[in-house]
Structures are given as structure tokens and as C-alpha cells.
Amino acid sequence: MNTSISKVSDIPTSGVIACQGTVGAYSQIAARRLFPDGTFIYFKNFDAVARAVREGMCDFGVLPIENNTFGSVKQVYQLLGRQDISIVRSYKLKIEHQLLAKPGTALKDITSVRSHEQALGQCEQFLHSLGDKVAQIPCLNTAVAARTVAESDDPYCAAISSPECAALYGLEVVKKKIADSNHNYTRFLCIAKKPLLYPGASRISLILSLPHVPGSLAAVLDRFSASGINLLKLESTPIPGRDFEFSFYIDIEGSVEDPRVEQILDDLRNTCPEFRFLGCYLEEVPE
């Protein structure tokens, strides 16, 4: 096992936790599931969350990484590539989007809908059904959207947000279950300053770049396959300052305590132009 990883026997339920957004945001809901006894501090953007963890202001941070219907959160992939942080846990949260508005507002009267771009994308069919007269306005996150509607003088604006935000901001539910899919989940990452290995950790995340020659990616994938290691995710992202060159975000199923995995990681570390081990971490499944 990589000696730089600290093996921890107890999974924490408390700490100072960094979240993007505000109370009621899905990141905060996921963080509360991971840390039921935690103290939460809210930041404007994902970079600020990572910086708070890296600089020791917070013990952990929680960031969305992908949604099973609308895809990856690109900003977080890019952040993982440039920030010195580690993934230690992940959590899959079922997303329950609802349309919220001021008390008394009818669906037919709504002229604008605010939410995070991911939430707008996850409710594309519902929004299309409202017609072209309804403007879609991106916000920092779903909770900020709900708070903005609550504070607005416009009686005909609405927000796509969580059920929790209706009570938090004094809004009414105009329509429930508006996501395109009833099976709508977002996976959140829990980050820490240093790598930690909790009991049951079975997912590994890496970022690497490869020689710009034919077959370089196929050769890496073949090595995983030949060792019986399951590839869970492969995502490419542009390398800043280079023309159409990409680094790869790779998730594999396995543990750093497995000699097969350890051997491949060592080989990749020694042969790839860029190699970053992001963590071997615990995937937590909602009840």
C-alpha cells in the first residue's frame, strides 16, 4: 500500500465541513448525510471549497461530481486536476426536484425559472412543456435559486430546488417530481487535505496524461483488463495551454491494498507524463 495514505479505522460523523452554496443546497444535504454531527460552512464556488480544505480552514469538503442523467460536473473535474486535495468518501444522493414559487403563484402564471444549470438540464422536458415564454435563468445552485425567488419582488418567478428549500424560504410547491427521470442521482465527493483510507474503500480515482502517440490510451486500458481490474469511469478534459490535448480522469474498482492494483499504479506513476492519485475511497449507498 502507498505509505502516504493514512489508514483510518473509524469513519467520522463530525467535523467542520465546507459546502458550496447555502442551506438547503443538495451539496449541504449530501454533506449532512455523510456528517450528521458536522458543522457546515458555505462558500460561493467549488474552488473556494477546495481551498478551505487545502488550507486547513475545514476538515472536509463536499462537491458534486456527476449526475446519472445529465452527466459530469466539469468544473469539479478541472478543480481536481489543479488542487492538491484527496478524495476520501463518496455518496450517491437521490435528487427530488420540485418547482417552488411564492405562495399563491399558479403554474400558468410563471414567467421565469431559476436553478443551477445541472438542475435545469435534469428538468429539460418539464421546462419545455412550459413553453418559450418562460425564461430559464442559471444560478450558483438550487438553494440560491430558491432564496432569490423568495427575496424577489417578482410574483411570477420560480425555482427548481429541493423539498427542504420550500420550508426554509417560505415558498410553496407548485409541482412535484419534475425531473426527466424518476431515477435521478448525483454522486458527491468528500475531499480532505491528505489521503485517508477508510474500511471498505473500493474505488480509486486517478488523473493522468499519456504520450501523444497512437494506442497509448488503449495500452493503459488493456493493462487494467489483463489484471482483472474493472474500469468504472473514463473522462477526458482539455489540458490548459495546449491545443487539443487531453488528460484523463479514470475511476477503477479496487483497493490500494491489492498487490495487482498497487503494481499498475506504480507503473503508471513511472511511465505517464502526468500522474495524480486522487484517492482510494469509500462509496456510501443511501438507505
Side-chain angles (χ1 to χ4, degrees), residues 2-284:
N2 189 327
T3 55
S4 66
I5 303 176
S6 299
K7 195 169 182 179
V8 183
S9 58
D10 295 322
I11 299 170
T13 61
S14 63
V16 180
I17 316 301
C19 298
Q20 187 265 344
T22 188
V23 178
Y26 286 110
S27 289
Q28 189 258 339
I29 295 170
R32 193 171 65 236
R33 301 278 178 88
L34 287 164
F35 300 97
D37 303 315
T39 299
F40 304 104
I41 299 178
Y42 302 98
F43 296 88
K44 186 176 181 180
N45 54 48
F46 298 142
D47 276 311
V49 169
R51 190 163 56 250
V53 173
R54 192 186 69 242
E55 295 177 357
M57 181 189 303
C58 295
D59 302 310
F60 301 98
V62 174
L63 298 167
I65 187 67
E66 60 183 341
N67 177 267
N68 67 329
T69 63
F70 197 64
S72 302
V73 183
K74 292 290 187 181
Q75 303 100 305
V76 175
Y77 280 105
Q78 294 164 359
L79 181 155
L80 291 169
R82 65 176 183 268
Q83 297 274 16
D84 188 17
I85 51 177
S86 296
I87 305 169
V88 295
R89 299 165 74 182
S90 74
Y91 185 82
K92 253 192 349 180
L93 178 70
K94 185 168 176 45
I95 304 299
E96 301 279 359
H97 289 314
Q98 299 186 348
L99 187 69
L100 309 181
K102 290 178 179 293
T105 302
L107 180 61
K108 64 181 178 60
D109 296 325
I110 290 171
T111 57
S112 66
V113 177
R114 290 167 164 78
S115 200
H116 188 272
E117 61 182 0
Q118 278 266 338
L120 294 171
Q122 292 162 28
C123 301
E124 184 177 8
Q125 293 177 23
F126 168 75
L127 291 169
H128 180 72
S129 74
L130 298 181
D132 295 338
K133 70 179 181 67
V134 179
Q136 299 178 33
I137 304 173
C139 288
L140 284 173
N141 60 61
T142 55
V144 167
R147 187 179 66 191
T148 301
V149 168
E151 295 173 351
S152 173
D153 294 329
D154 180 2
Y156 306 122
C157 61
I160 294 174
S161 194
S162 65
E164 287 86 346
C165 282
L168 280 169
Y169 298 108
L171 300 174
E172 284 186 353
V173 178
V174 179
K175 192 170 180 62
K176 298 180 179 180
K177 297 182 178 180
I178 61 172
D180 294 347
S181 171
N182 290 327
H183 188 75
N184 188 19
Y185 287 86
T186 294
R187 190 164 71 93
F188 289 84
L189 301 179
C190 174
I191 58 171
K193 186 175 182 178
K194 300 293 184 183
L196 302 171
L197 187 68
Y198 292 118
S202 61
R203 187 171 184 135
I204 294 171
S205 291
L206 314 167
I207 291 179
L208 50 87
S209 63
L210 298 169
H212 199 51
V213 297
S216 58
L217 178 59
V220 170
L221 301 182
D222 285 344
R223 290 167 75 179
F224 287 130
S225 177
S227 298
I229 295 170
N230 188 27
L231 185 71
L232 300 173
K233 188 172 183 68
L234 174 63
E235 185 94 8
S236 65
T237 185
I239 300 175
R242 301 188 198 175
D243 289 336
F244 300 103
E245 292 187 38
F246 299 85
S247 58
F248 297 92
Y249 179 103
I250 295 176
D251 284 357
I252 61 172
E253 187 176 27
S255 169
V256 289
E257 297 183 299
D258 183 336
R260 298 173 306 157
V261 173
E262 188 174 24
Q263 181 61 58
I264 287 181
L265 295 183
D266 284 342
D267 290 345
L268 292 174
R269 186 179 288 108
N270 293 328
T271 57
C272 292
E274 175 197 6
F275 176 89
R276 285 201 61 194
F277 173 82
L278 296 176
C280 178
Y281 54 97
L282 176 65
E283 283 199 283
E284 299 179 44

